[in-house]
Amino acid sequence: MEYLYLVALLIFLFTFFMFRSPRLNNPEHVLQDVGDEVLILHTPLARLWPSQGKRINKQSAARIQHADNIITVFN
């Protein structure tokens, strides 16, 4: 039973680190310029494995809106 508590604690600490880490959550890691496309890494898990991010063409982005900590891309 103690192992279950240990595993739960490790999962909690790993998740907390992923969502609070300044290394994973800075703007350079969230939006990446890849040639004619922009790679959007919208979750901390996608920032660890960039293949899970979403790519959009720069020409298809009609408008980019910035409000507080939220960036919205309209295409």
Side-chain angles (χ1 to χ4, degrees), residues 6-36:
L6 181 63
V7 169
L9 178 66
L10 290 175
I11 290 173
F12 170 76
L13 291 174
F14 181 73
T15 306
F16 183 78
F17 168 75
M18 286 181 54
F19 280 97
R20 296 293 179 186
S21 170
R23 181 185 161 274
L24 291 175
N25 294 315
N26 65 3
E28 290 82 20
H29 283 92
V30 176
L31 296 173
Q32 295 181 356
D33 185 16
V34 183
D36 290 338

Side-chain angles (χ1 to χ4, degrees), residues 39-57:
L39 179 63
I40 302 172
L41 303 171
H42 55 289
T43 64
L45 190 60
R47 290 178 208 130
L48 288 176
W49 292 285
S51 62
Q52 295 182 357
K54 297 186 188 232
R55 293 179 182 254
I56 61 167
N57 288 330

